[in-house]
Amino acid sequence: MAGPLLPATPMPASRLTVEEVRTRTACKEFLALGSRTAQAVPLLADDVRAWFRGDHPHVDELSLLLVRDDDGVPVGRCVTHCSAELDSVLSASLGPGPFQLFGAVEAPSPAVLQTLLGAVENRALRAGATGLLGPMELLPNQQGGALTSGFAADAFFDSPWTPPELADGLRAAGFSPWHPASTWEVAVRDIPPARRRRPDPTELEASGVRREPASRLRLRGRGGQVERLREALNDSFAQLPYFTPISRRQMARQTAGLELLMDPRLVVLLTDESGRIVSFALVVPDPAPMLRRSRGELGLRELPRLLGENRDAVLIVQGTRPDRQGEGLLSLVSRELFAELHDGGREHLRVTSIGEDNPGSSRVFAHAGGHPLHRLSFFHRRVGPGDGATLQGPQCWCQVAERAPSAHNTQPWVPQPDAAASALRLTVDPSCTLPVGDPTHRDLHLSLGAWIESFAVAASAEGQHVSLEEVTGVGPDIRIRLSWSPEDATRPASGTAAATIQDVLDRRVHRGRLLPPGPLDLPEGFHILDALDADPLERRAGRHLAATPELAAELLDWLRLDPQDPRWHEDGLSAECLQLPRAVQSRPVQLLLSGLRPALPALLGRISPPLADAGTGVPVVMSCPDRSPAGLVEAGRRLQRLWLRLRRQGLAVSPASEVIDCPATVGRLGVEHPVAYFRVGIPDDVPPRSARRSVQRHEPILPVSSGVDAVLGAADPVHLPHHGGHHDPVR
């Protein structure tokens, strides 16, 4: 059954209660509430069911909430979630996060809205969030916003419709508008002939482009049009204040069903001589009437209606790569598109939201005879003591340091700051160590050093210098004492100041393919290996790991393969971070693995599969002659310092410490005193963000000024074809 959450405060007189959706029946009730408003377009049912299953790429934690009345009847709903990736890009415009996000709001009365907002705020406070932001499903560059005008016009596919009471209720609750935007409508018959004149081959050739026909048969695969469009989207929209890069997995999830929905003639792709998509527009027939009838279901049964009945179309997204902006390419795209709409007998083109700070895109549709349809905005509000106080001091620094790396993502650190004494004691949670895989505690000590370096970066941002005062004990019994004091201009530079908090938050491991990084300038103690020599070592070390039942069993304990596992968002190695096939996350596979769990270590020992995906990036070994706990802690600081520098250069790393742990390979590295092994390269995809626990699990965390225990914002761009539509400026 769904478990009750904290009641909203103050409680409405009707005794409404909030619960989290935990059953399929409750999920059906959540979906049913979205079909009560005739002017809105229901969310895609497959999307909501995927959220319920835990499938929401690049959004870290998500809950579906229902409001019930005294009789247990569902009367309201919303989704609330968080995204550390979005937090990192919002800080420039909304101040420091993390933010608690919300969306898919159905609230037929002020009391229901108050109850939902109270539940969202309670979650924000428990999570240490500093702001609320919504409505959005699930991120700003997917779908979202509350209407502020244009209520008489129905919504269309990929656009919201909300009643006036939602925006009014948000304002009454202290929310402020953020990033106002408008949707647009263009009557195809009113497009001036000059605006729908198809570019001739001479014009295209003069611009160094050609139109590549879209095809259902060429959509998928590494070189398919969806993947190339993903690269163009990421490049085109990186400048927007709310954009988070789209990963390959996310693109696949969000373009599911595009083959059914698309009209290839309405997908305009302009490519350069190399075949790179440089300007584009994605338009689909509007399935809104069908989705209203089917209550959000989209499948083969609905396809005949979609193809035969609707003469309207929706512009989901358009853009131009930055290096080709200012050349008029998007004007060529628009003329191609308008010609296709006219020749195909389409009646209306509707355009998903365009920000008011992007008049260039709006002009394209104004010049084509279009007009704004809906005006909408996101809404935000600060939360916490004083509804505006930001976390500072060691509490905030501990949040940042939580993003430090650790073997198997065990996060073994236990920080105990004392703000009054300007000091911190760092210890270890023994349950978060690897006694089999890390018997000498090498990786443990390195991870503590990485945590200290991250803590020092955050402190430096507030003008404080962190000193490592003392290291005693070893392994789980280690005790480290830190202190801090105002930065002294005469103090020798440590290299920490070169890194930023954003570097720490954005650093991540990439387990996929790493492209060659070019020449690497590495500090002393780091050694580049020949990839041809390193490849067989990694494969052999991977087989050793799999063939040792005790090592395999420990690894299995830290694998998080099921998105519904409560630890998925806390620690360990997720299927997403390991870039395992999505089939691994399916329920049948999960049931099979659960049944085989006791026998898996022995089974792996017999099969001995190579676990390392060798052969990408540049292999690097770090050496450290001082293997004492203090020496390895300092080595961990240097290692994190390098990884942060590599991140600023657009590079990622892929650690493979099993090469050092395997007796048959460590001696063949040709490096004395090796303590870390990793590959460096350009990631071929957006690296997923690993999970983190709250710092609240460790006591005491002493509040500095806010009085609220801190927690790192848990938790990930244009949803295609379902969400998106914020447009690149016309250049």
Side-chain angles (χ1 to χ4, degrees), residues 537-625:
L537 299 182
E538 292 181 21
R539 294 190 179 95
R540 185 167 183 178
R543 287 193 295 269
H544 172 263
L545 171 60
T548 306
E550 296 82 5
L551 288 173
E554 188 175 67
L555 172 62
L556 289 171
D557 285 339
W558 289 97
L559 290 183
R560 308 288 181 255
L561 303 182
D562 183 358
Q564 293 184 313
D565 184 334
R567 299 170 299 174
W568 174 275
H569 297 294
E570 293 183 356
D571 56 22
L573 303 170
S574 70
E576 184 179 12
C577 285
L578 293 175
Q579 301 202 4
L580 299 178
R582 290 189 61 191
V584 171
Q585 301 177 35
S586 67
R587 296 309 299 165
V589 172
Q590 288 301 314
L591 291 173
L592 176 63
L593 291 176
S594 177
L596 293 176
R597 176 65 177 81
L600 278 177
L603 183 62
L604 288 174
R606 289 180 178 273
I607 300 174
S608 299
L611 298 184
D613 182 16
T616 65
V618 173
V620 176
V621 178
M622 178 186 186
S623 62
C624 176

Side-chain angles (χ1 to χ4, degrees), residues 71 92 100 157 188 226 252 270 298 304 306 321 329 342 355 369 380 414 419 431 448 506 508 510 532 548 663 725-726:
D71 298 322
Q100 189 73 31
F157 181 61
V188 175
V226 166
L270 296 187
L298 178 61
L306 176 63
R321 289 185 186 259
L329 295 184
H342 182 269
H380 76 96
V414 181
S431 68
L448 295 176
D506 289 347
R508 59 196 67 184
H510 184 58
L532 294 178
T548 306
H726 298 271

Side-chain angles (χ1 to χ4, degrees), residues 34 40 55 70 145 225 314 316 355 383 394 408 446 472 539 594 631 694 713:
D55 183 8
D70 286 340
Q225 291 174 332
V314 178
I316 304 296
V383 296
H408 290 7
L446 289 173
T472 60
R539 294 190 179 95
S594 177
S694 161

Side-chain angles (χ1 to χ4, degrees), residues 137-209:
E137 301 86 27
L138 291 171
L139 296 175
N141 54 351
Q142 294 178 352
Q143 176 175 308
L147 263 64
T148 55
S149 66
F151 302 102
D154 290 352
F156 50 91
F157 181 61
D158 207 25
S159 73
W161 189 93
T162 60
E165 292 79 11
L166 179 57
D168 292 343
L170 290 171
R171 289 192 181 96
F175 286 77
S176 301
W178 178 73
H179 198 73
S182 297
T183 65
W184 283 70
E185 181 180 70
V186 179
V188 175
R189 66 176 181 275
D190 294 339
I191 299 176
R195 297 284 174 182
R196 54 178 169 81
R197 179 177 59 82
R198 197 183 302 272
D200 58 46
T202 304
E203 286 182 273
L204 297 176
E205 183 179 357
S207 297
V209 296

